[in-house]
DNA sequence: TATGAATGAGGATTCATTCAT
DNA sequence: GATGAATGAATCCTCATTCAT
């Protein structure tokens, strides 16, 4: 009963890995078939087309990311800054744990290969994070600017340090990670004194 | 005598526009030929392969961006914060003026379609900006962290507001732009509490 | 179960015929596809590239020739001259029966289109004939010279009369064929004057 | 005044060398232009088309070969066997001196790339050799068979030993060369005693 | 004559998708 | 569901030839 789910997951993981390494279009269905050990015809039982497979990968990552960063019950009670740091670190840890997923998001989120309809879906998906941001603004903890700006700023702040870590140009220390988090916090909150 | 340069530029501009609209791989040489009015064979006189054409587009943008953001003589004398704002705004204005160039950089800089050798080249190219960042750090104006982190942070701060503006989700006001610049400055200059 | 073999054979025969009539390079995969009734893509299922198809044709002929000229059990007991004539006539009959195969061998065996690795293979393949030649030399029936010289001489003697017959310049009589065989034998067995 | 002739010769030699190394069709006019240092357009001043260039190479070799093997005045007086050996050795020496010319003849004489009209021409060209062969037959020195058979036999006997020498499989000694000549003579002349 | 940029038809090859088993 | 051979449109690229300079 779990077989089909596993096979679908296998396909998603294999595709993700090939997409990230070679680019989506340079990855042929035959290649995915070969690497995953699933016959070409069988892939088409699970995904109607290559496009649907790409979307599948996109949604799969989005969905899983959502599960990982959602606040648990005991976390909801934390104060805003604590939850802010927690959210950021959860995102960070998730992407570091699954580098391919980060690469995929970072490369294809704005590419023409991802239909706009999916991006709409993603927006809805980020609602929790959105609510969190609006809570910060209304509590006058976060600066008063457009929530979308803050959302993107958050993602890009994460992306900055993760890109560096994955590029592996030099060792990224925990210090640098916490510095980046601090930079993000500093940039989004009011300075109390001159 | 300027003819060939013009033709090459035409090809670069046409390619850029198609690459950004449809994706690099979905853009065929035949399409570029048709839209640019240059025969396929002629494209191959100027660029040995599609790959070289892609690289050409990448380098062309990089080069031109460099010219636009370089400090002029009378700007060198400005104090650090002024030059910081100037540099950021130059980048912002450049990308807003040439949205396709931003889209191209933003989508393909880290894609497998751009060979690593080119990224090396880009790194050397950004040397000026790099020197500027290091000046800030050594003068204790910018926080003491890895210059590469600051460089990427700068690019991503620009990217954040430009993405929003180009996505045209809602009007981006000058206020939001200056807020973003201010966020960037704040994040890079905060004082650690003693 | 024999289907795929048949299809591969069809492709080989069609290719052979086109290669011989128009030259290998002037024969396009599209032409082979059309004449054989096999889709272009399907050809590439059986042969990874045009080059491999060419090699396939070469090896196919070589292999079949080998089967035809091998001595049967009751032939091994014949004396040397009888086996010599038999071998030569088998070669002659084979090539006359399959003129395209002769044309192919004669035109492309030494062309740059056939990789040297294949020629190595062919050499190994001719081992039987080689052994036969060496038997003749060691029995002092054939003149004492390099076996390779004799091997090529044999092939070229065959080629001479077949070329004429296929060029159809004039009727080639059985008499001429036996004369050519006799010439070959004479040239390889003459007695040096003491 | 000799310039154009030289340039034309350069082109012929360059083409010959490329044709032999890579095959005629894989050799592009651009390649010939590059290797010879003659602009593409200029090649077309000397040869109306690639086909004419190929024919030019063919005829150039044929012509030069003719000059080299023609009997000089003092050679005409030699007896038949002496002239026979002389002719054969002239052919041998010529091809060994110009291996590419041999390779070209050997590969393309019967290829579809050489139009039949040229072969007709070649036949006329070989008239001298033809006359010589007929002299031998009518004098009852050469065996009484079709002169064309003897002509081809002669060429193939030469080809045998030259192929081996050029293939460089092993050292070809003078002894082997004279053996091959002797084989040729033995095969074409009557045996006086049983 | 000499040049080489420009042309575009034609060639080899790939690949998403289908379908009979 | 699973398979993978078969398909042919579409892609990148080559190249003989022309022509303006």
């Amino acid at each position: 009963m779990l077989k089909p789910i596993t096979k679908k997951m296998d396909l998603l993981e294999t595709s993700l890995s090939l997409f990230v390494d070679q680019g989506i279009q340079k990855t042929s269905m035959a290649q995915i078939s070969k690497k995953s050990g699933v016959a070409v015809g069988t892939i088409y039982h699970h995904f109607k087309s290559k496009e649907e497979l790409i979307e599948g990968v996109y949604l799969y990552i989005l969905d899983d990311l959502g599960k990982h960063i959602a606040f648990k019950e005991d976390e909801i009670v934390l104060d805003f800054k604590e939850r802010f740091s927690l959210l950021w670190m959860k995102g960070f840890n998730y992407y570091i744990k699954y580098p391919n997923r980060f690469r995929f998001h970072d490369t294809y989120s704005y590419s023409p290969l991802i239909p706009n309809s999916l991006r709409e879906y993603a927006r809805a998906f980020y609602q929790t994070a959105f609510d969190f941001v609006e809570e910060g603004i209304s509590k006058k903890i976060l600066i008063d600017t457009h929530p979308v700006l803050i959302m993107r700023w958050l993602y890009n702040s994460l992306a900055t340090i993760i890109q560096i870590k994955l590029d592996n140009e030099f060792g990224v220390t925990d210090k640098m990670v916490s510095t980046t988090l601090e930079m993000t916090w500093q940039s989004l909150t009011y300075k109390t004194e001159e």
Side-chain angles (χ1 to χ4, degrees), chain A:
Chain A
M1 182 152 268
L2 281 173
K3 270 273 181 62
I5 293 172
T6 301
K7 186 162 273 184
K8 202 164 178 175
M9 294 272 281
D10 281 355
L11 282 172
L12 291 171
E13 286 290 355
T14 305
S15 305
L16 171 61
S17 141
L18 288 170
F19 288 167
V20 163
D21 287 349
Q22 327 174 331
I24 289 184
Q25 309 231 28
K26 272 197 179 157
T27 302
S28 67
M29 297 302 270
Q31 246 182 318
I32 296 170
S33 156
K34 198 174 172 186
K35 189 171 176 190
S36 65
V38 176
V40 183
T42 310
I43 300 180
Y44 279 85
H45 278 289
H46 293 283
F47 302 93
K48 272 205 316 224
S49 65
K50 188 181 182 184
E51 201 179 320
E52 206 168 82
L53 174 57
I54 298 167
E55 294 178 11
V57 170
Y58 180 83
L59 294 178
Y60 162 59
I61 300 176
L62 203 62
D63 204 51
D64 196 54
L65 170 62
K67 284 181 200 146
H68 272 73
I69 65 174
F71 287 126
K72 289 173 198 125
E73 276 197 32
D74 57 337
E75 293 168 344
I76 302 179
V77 298
L78 297 173
D79 76 28
F80 189 82
K81 181 168 186 181
E82 282 167 330
R83 275 179 292 143
F84 183 92
S85 302
L86 198 58
L87 189 64
W88 197 92
M89 284 307 299
K90 279 182 171 185
F92 177 80
N93 289 326
Y94 181 79
Y95 279 137
I96 290 300
K97 189 171 172 191
Y98 304 110
N100 280 345
R101 302 185 186 183
F102 172 74
R103 289 273 186 234
F104 186 86
H105 265 174
D106 209 44
T107 307
Y108 296 109
S109 284
Y110 291 93
S111 109
L113 295 172
I114 301 294
N116 277 320
S117 56
L118 278 201
R119 271 192 279 276
E120 299 295 334
Y121 178 87
R123 205 159 304 173
F125 176 87
Y126 286 130
Q127 197 54 49
T128 336
F130 219 92
D131 293 342
F132 178 69
V133 165
E134 291 199 314
E135 177 195 339
I137 296 173
S138 66
K139 284 188 177 164
K140 311 260 183 207
I141 301 173
L142 297 182
I143 57 175
D144 184 22
T145 191
H146 203 295
V148 163
L149 173 57
I150 296 184
M151 287 287 288
R152 297 235 183 180
W153 186 264
L154 277 172
Y155 173 78
N156 281 337
S157 70
L158 268 179
T160 305
I161 190 70
I162 294 167
Q163 282 163 359
I164 295 174
K165 194 168 169 93
L166 297 187
D167 273 15
N168 206 16
E169 303 180 58
F170 47 84
V172 166
T173 58
D174 287 354
K175 178 82 198 306
M176 281 177 71
V177 176
S178 63
T179 297
T180 309
L181 169 54
E182 183 63 19
M183 282 159 69
T184 311
W185 179 255
Q186 289 291 336
S187 56
L188 291 173
T189 51
Y190 294 98
K191 299 289 135 300
T192 40
E193 53 181 315
E194 192 59 15

